[in-house]
Amino acid sequence: CAVCGFPIHAVCCPILATERIPMAFSIRSLVLSAMFVVCAGTVSPSWAEGELNSQKRADIQKLMDLTGAGNIGVQAADQLIANMKTALPQVKDAFWVEFRKELSAEELLKLIIPLYDKRLTHPEIKELIKFYETPVGKKMIAVMPAITAESMQAGQQWGMDIAMRAK
């Protein structure tokens, strides 16, 4: 396995077990899943109960705009794609080009907004907006893409270290 060093098998590396899972599908699923996990990490029951309140939706959108949540998600996906290209050199560049074309901050936000609605009350969202409008909040927004990218690299290294010890 190019990812973990073990012989390719479904338990260790389902991405590369092409006889069981089509490679393009499994890579696409892995990248999208990882991107969603990264983006949803900071994410009121009103979503489950019906339509999202329009004012709350507007405030969540404002929070997303302030924090650049959709763009951070796309940046995280770009980093993940770069890592996957290295780990999976047999995947043609054309796949990655087409995959990248499909990434959209707006589409990602459609998936993230309900998560914020589910986990945060409208007053909490308003407090977050206030925070992100402060100097400290603005700094957090500025450094978050670097923290996210470095966290992904650290997590990848951590996973490889664990895999090596587990051999």
Side-chain angles (χ1 to χ4, degrees):
C1 172
V3 176
C4 68
F6 282 85
I8 295 174
H9 61 294
V11 173
C12 165
C13 199
I15 301 166
L16 299 177
T18 55
E19 66 278 356
R20 299 180 106 185
I21 301 171
M23 186 181 306
F25 173 77
S26 58
I27 293 168
R28 182 177 294 122
S29 298
L30 176 69
V31 173
L32 287 175
S33 297
M35 180 182 73
F36 192 75
V37 167
V38 168
C39 297
T42 58
V43 198
S44 120
S46 63
W47 178 255
E49 296 167 5
E51 194 64 32
L52 177 59
N53 172 300
S54 63
Q55 185 56 52
K56 187 177 182 186
R57 176 179 286 280
D59 285 341
I60 294 171
Q61 183 65 54
K62 181 176 182 177
L63 179 62
M64 300 294 97
D65 293 344
L66 276 171
T67 61
N71 292 331
I72 289 172
V74 172
Q75 289 171 356
D78 286 340
Q79 178 68 39
L80 193 60
I81 289 169
N83 293 341
M84 296 295 287
K85 283 174 130 179
T86 302
L88 302 169
Q90 70 274 27
V91 177
K92 298 191 183 321
D93 283 339
F95 169 80
W96 298 115
V97 169
E98 286 302 311
F99 183 85
R100 179 58 182 90
K101 284 180 188 176
E102 293 294 319
L103 295 179
S104 158
E106 294 78 24
E107 190 174 341
L108 179 60
L109 288 178
K110 287 179 187 174
L111 299 172
I112 293 175
I113 286 174
L115 301 177
Y116 278 73
D117 179 51
K118 181 179 176 183
R119 301 287 182 204
L120 300 167
T121 66
H122 196 181
E124 290 168 335
I125 291 165
K126 289 178 180 184
E127 288 297 316
L128 285 168
I129 290 169
K130 286 181 194 175
F131 168 73
Y132 283 115
E133 290 175 335
T134 68
V136 172
K138 290 177 182 178
K139 179 171 183 178
M140 187 67 184
I141 292 166
V143 301
M144 190 51 71
I147 290 172
T148 300
E150 291 171 20
S151 296
M152 288 177 64
Q153 290 172 347
Q156 182 181 27
Q157 184 61 50
W158 177 58
M160 290 190 311
D161 291 348
I162 290 171
M164 294 304 287
R165 289 193 311 256
K167 279 187 178 181

